[in-house]
Amino acid sequence: MSKKSKKMTGLNFISIGGCSEIGMNMYAYICNDQWILVDMGMGFDNSLGRELIIPSPDQLIKNKSKIKALFITHSHEDHIGAIPYLWPMVECPIYARPFAIEMIRDKLSQFNLDTTVPLIKAAVGQKITIGNFKIEFIPMAHSTPESNALAIQTQFGTLIHSGDWRIDSDPILGLKTDEEKLKEYGDKGVLALICDSTNAFRSEHYGTERDVRATLIDVVKKYKGHRVLITCFASNLARLESCYYAAKENGRRLIVAGRSLKKIEKVAKVSGYLTDIPPFMDEWSAKDVDPAETLLVCTGSQGELNSALNKIAHDEHKNIKLAEDDIVIFSSRTIPGNEKAVMEIQNLLIEKGVQIITDLDYTVHASGHPSQEELELLYQWVRPKILVPMHGERVHLHKQADLGKKFGIEHTLIPHDGNIINLSDDGAKVIDVSRNEMVAVDGSKLIPLSGSIYKARQKLSNDGVVSLCLKRSGGSLKLLDFDSVGVFEDCEIQERNDVRKDIEAEIKLSFDNLVKAKSFDKNRAVETVKKIVKTVFLESRGKKPIVLSHIVE
């Protein structure tokens, strides 16, 4: 697309983020050139100095005047985490359920935006008219309270945006998936279902959160006399409540380690949850209580670098030190892409003699996403003409599309992030493609992943850097200073000296008596020096480092 946004007629859909990998969910719906956004999430990345990854802001900037509102399906970071970075580019009202509002407000306060952003609480059953759209929040069971699908009504037809969901007839917290409301929309006619694909390969129905609670109580009881630690998603409020009851039923005291767990406790109580549960003890209390009389809950189920579990596994936590025969329960599912980080932590724990328990051993985790069985039930209730899979890796989207075809859904289309898709009675088709590069939060800046900064950092991490300062005297160059980073081990003093001598010899051979003072081309000389250095290093080390050279008179 050009820098000037094109006018879009009809009903269109864009996945700005969420259809290339799990995380960074942000979607746009456009009806006769009026826009609404659904979710504004982030992903995690600890490589090359990156902190977070968020969807490209290009579409938002170009279409700011057309964006009427942002609707939030639920409070997970991959659906709200990018708001502090991207909302200033749209400055539109945000509609969400109360629990998500409090989570967003807490996040915005860290950026001094909590009094600036218009946060509007939406009620179940309320129909919100915004420009060419009418939106209703439909309760869906998930692993955080007050999750919703959105029914998006337009003159061209009704869309159901599922959000993250599953079917649980008896959830511990929050409302169950509203089967009757979904059937009601199905009876009226649904043009398209835009649907969560995360568990599209899972054929059987998952256990529920209530099953997990019973299992945690039993497992903790089994390990009486041992220190027990549970790691889970901080945002899974029902799981946190289950941990409390696992401690209470076994005469233990619950201690939480990790800032996000204390934050979720605070937000939950403001929102009316956990009101019958006393305040959790914090990690500073761990050293004052017999380990066998506590149940520790900590962040780090995905191997996050700064999490409590990562610090514990590396013996860097000030208050919690694990010992042989301690028990660590991973009450979570490893998100695709995090396998290596999780395995690294588990390896460290095993080396300490710690016993690890996962959902392969007991029902200590229940997914918040639909299996094939649940997807087919939703298809029956909604009966869409078009299925657009979203939220997952590419393989998950393709698998759900196959399920939809087998079920008999008339049209399916698998989107790529950036595709502009027209939705009509004739089906779904890609009508344009926009550049949709993800950006990273790097300190206080947003930097494109394919930009020169990360290319240089990648090169530096692969090959190191060499810097030279040379002095020009007449027609010759003399090497004054030679330094390197990430090229030699500290003990390789002789190797470093040998390489320096080779570089000096090549420079002398190339420049002495060949460059006259009056015709000396400094830029060309710098490039020649770089080629000499790279050639010497290629021959001696098999690598061509980044070369920084400077010539003084």
Side-chain angles (χ1 to χ4, degrees):
M1 290 182 67
S2 64
K3 290 184 178 180
K4 185 177 179 181
S5 65
K6 296 179 180 179
K7 186 173 182 178
M8 282 188 261
T9 57
L11 180 59
N12 300 286
F13 166 80
I14 306 173
S15 169
I16 300 174
C19 289
S20 294
E21 56 187 273
I22 291 177
M24 294 178 285
N25 293 280
M26 185 162 68
Y27 309 93
Y29 292 92
I30 305 106
C31 181
N32 280 344
D33 217 33
Q34 290 187 1
W35 292 49
I36 60 168
L37 303 176
V38 174
D39 293 334
M40 194 172 274
M42 69 181 188
F44 295 95
D45 189 348
N46 293 313
S47 61
L48 301 177
R50 298 191 283 252
E51 299 166 31
L52 310 167
I53 300 177
I54 62 176
S56 167
D58 290 350
Q59 285 278 13
L60 308 184
I61 294 168
K62 287 188 291 186
N63 295 283
K64 177 179 177 179
S65 63
K66 303 175 183 179
I67 297 172
K68 303 301 179 184
L70 166 62
F71 290 84
I72 299 299
T73 60
H74 66 287
S75 60
H76 278 151
E77 289 293 306
D78 61 333
H79 293 260
I80 66 170
I83 291 176
Y85 305 99
L86 297 182
W87 181 86
M89 301 178 188
V90 294
E91 297 183 315
C92 65
I94 299 177
Y95 290 83
R97 299 280 289 121
F99 184 76
I101 289 281
E102 294 304 324
M103 288 289 286
I104 294 166
R105 182 175 285 118
D106 182 85
K107 183 174 291 293
L108 291 172
S109 67
Q110 301 167 37
F111 294 78
N112 296 318
L113 289 171
D114 50 315
T115 59
T116 304
V117 180
L119 298 172
I120 303 170
K121 291 182 181 180
V124 170
Q126 176 187 4
K127 292 189 177 179
I128 302 163
T129 300
I130 300 285
N132 295 331
F133 300 91
K134 185 180 287 185
I135 295 94
E136 181 176 3
F137 283 74
I138 302 174
M140 304 291 271
H142 187 46
S143 54
T144 190
E146 301 176 9
S147 296
N148 304 270
L150 298 176
I152 304 170
Q153 295 176 272
T154 75
Q155 68 187 85
F156 300 100
T158 297
L159 312 174
I160 300 293
H161 182 103
S162 76
D164 290 6
W165 68 281
R166 65 161 307 178
I167 296 172
D168 184 347
S169 60
D170 188 23
I172 285 176
L173 290 179
L175 301 174
K176 65 180 182 179
T177 295
D178 194 338
E179 176 182 346
E180 295 308 313
K181 178 61 71 172
L182 292 164
K183 285 180 176 178
E184 180 185 317
Y185 275 102
D187 291 341
K188 293 177 182 177
V190 171
L191 176 63
L193 170 64
I194 298 86
C195 190
D196 177 4
S197 307
T198 311
N199 281 340
F201 281 94
R202 180 81 180 230
S203 57
E204 70 275 16
H205 191 79
Y206 280 92
T208 66
E209 193 62 43
R210 202 164 290 281
D211 298 328
V212 173
R213 176 170 295 185
T215 301
L216 287 176
I217 292 171
D218 289 343
V219 171
V220 174
K221 181 179 181 179
K222 179 180 178 181
Y223 291 100
K224 185 176 181 179
H226 294 258
R227 186 211 308 261
V228 179
L229 184 152
I230 298 175
T231 182
C232 60
F233 293 105
S235 57
N236 191 336
L237 190 57
R239 190 69 46 83
L240 191 55
E241 187 184 83
S242 293
C243 290
Y244 166 76
Y245 284 107
K248 181 182 178 182
E249 293 294 321
N250 289 286
R252 293 176 180 250
R253 304 174 72 180
L254 188 72
I255 297 175
V256 297
R259 285 179 299 175
S260 54
L261 285 167
K262 293 300 290 182
K263 180 184 81 172
I264 200 78
E265 179 190 9
K266 172 187 168 186
V267 169
K269 294 198 170 182
V270 169
S271 304
Y273 298 95
L274 305 184
T275 54
D276 296 330
I277 293 176
F280 300 141
M281 296 174 65
D282 61 34
E283 58 197 77
W284 303 101
S285 307
K287 62 182 181 296
D288 300 324
V289 185
D290 182 345
E293 296 178 359
T294 66
L295 179 61
L296 289 165
V297 181
C298 70
T299 56
S301 67
Q302 301 304 304
E304 300 94 328
L305 279 179
N306 294 317
S307 66
L309 183 60
N310 193 291
K311 293 175 183 176
I312 293 167
H314 285 89
D315 289 325
E316 295 172 355
H317 200 283
K318 294 179 180 179
N319 304 296
I320 303 170
K321 304 293 180 185
L322 290 182
E324 193 171 348
D325 295 329
D326 286 347
I327 311 298
V328 175
I329 301 171
F330 280 77
S331 183
S332 59
R333 163 182 177 260
T334 302
I335 295 172
N338 293 343
E339 294 88 353
K340 185 176 180 180
V342 173
M343 184 59 68
E344 180 183 344
I345 284 182
Q346 291 182 349
N347 286 337
L348 288 168
L349 296 173
I350 288 289
E351 288 294 318
K352 296 177 188 298
V354 171
Q355 181 177 343
I356 291 173
I357 294 172
T358 72
D359 61 350
L360 297 176
D361 305 301
Y362 299 97
T363 307
V364 293
H365 177 63
S367 177
H369 301 275
S371 64
Q372 293 178 9
E373 186 179 306
E374 292 164 291
L375 286 168
E376 290 185 2
L377 278 172
L378 183 61
Y379 300 160
Q380 290 176 22
W381 299 343
V382 173
R383 303 186 299 283
K385 182 174 288 188
I386 301 166
L387 172 64
V388 180
M390 65 162 181
H391 197 309
E393 305 282 343
R394 299 301 299 168
V395 293
H396 301 124
L397 272 62
H398 279 268
K399 183 63 178 178
Q400 192 188 172
D402 290 341
L403 290 173
K405 290 173 185 175
K406 289 177 183 176
F407 186 79
I409 296 176
E410 191 175 346
H411 304 283
T412 60
L413 191 149
I414 303 166
H416 282 273
D417 290 336
N419 285 359
I420 300 172
I421 297 168
N422 180 259
L423 304 169
S424 71
D425 286 332
D426 295 327
K429 62 180 179 180
V430 178
I431 58 173
D432 205 346
V433 177
S434 64
R435 186 170 176 268
N436 207 67
E437 181 183 12
M438 300 300 169
V439 297
V441 178
D442 192 291
S444 60
K445 298 292 184 182
L446 299 180
I447 300 174
L449 293 186
S450 64
S452 59
I453 289 176
Y454 289 127
K455 286 180 180 177
R457 288 187 192 174
Q458 186 66 57
K459 176 69 176 171
L460 175 60
S461 69
N462 290 338
D463 303 316
V465 62
V466 173
S467 62
L468 305 94
C469 182
L470 305 104
K471 181 178 180 181
R472 176 196 169 203
S473 179
S476 64
L477 289 177
K478 182 179 180 181
L479 184 58
L480 296 178
D481 189 41
F482 171 83
D483 202 0
S484 64
V485 177
V487 178
F488 297 102
E489 291 292 336
D490 292 343
C491 61
E492 291 185 299
I493 299 171
Q494 186 59 51
E495 289 85 346
R496 185 179 182 281
N497 290 337
D498 290 344
V499 167
R500 175 172 181 151
K501 288 177 183 178
D502 288 344
I503 291 171
E504 286 180 313
E506 290 296 327
I507 289 174
K508 181 177 177 63
L509 183 65
S510 297
F511 286 95
D512 275 9
N513 302 318
L514 294 178
V515 183
K516 303 301 181 184
K518 291 182 180 180
S519 60
F520 183 79
D521 187 328
K522 190 172 183 178
N523 291 334
R524 182 175 293 180
V526 165
E527 292 305 313
T528 300
V529 169
K530 286 183 179 181
K531 289 179 181 178
I532 289 171
V533 174
K534 289 185 177 184
T535 299
V536 170
F537 269 93
L538 187 61
E539 291 175 354
S540 64
R541 312 284 292 188
K543 288 276 190 179
K544 294 195 291 184
I546 296 173
V547 180
L548 306 175
S549 61
H550 182 60
I551 297 174
V552 297
E553 297 295 331

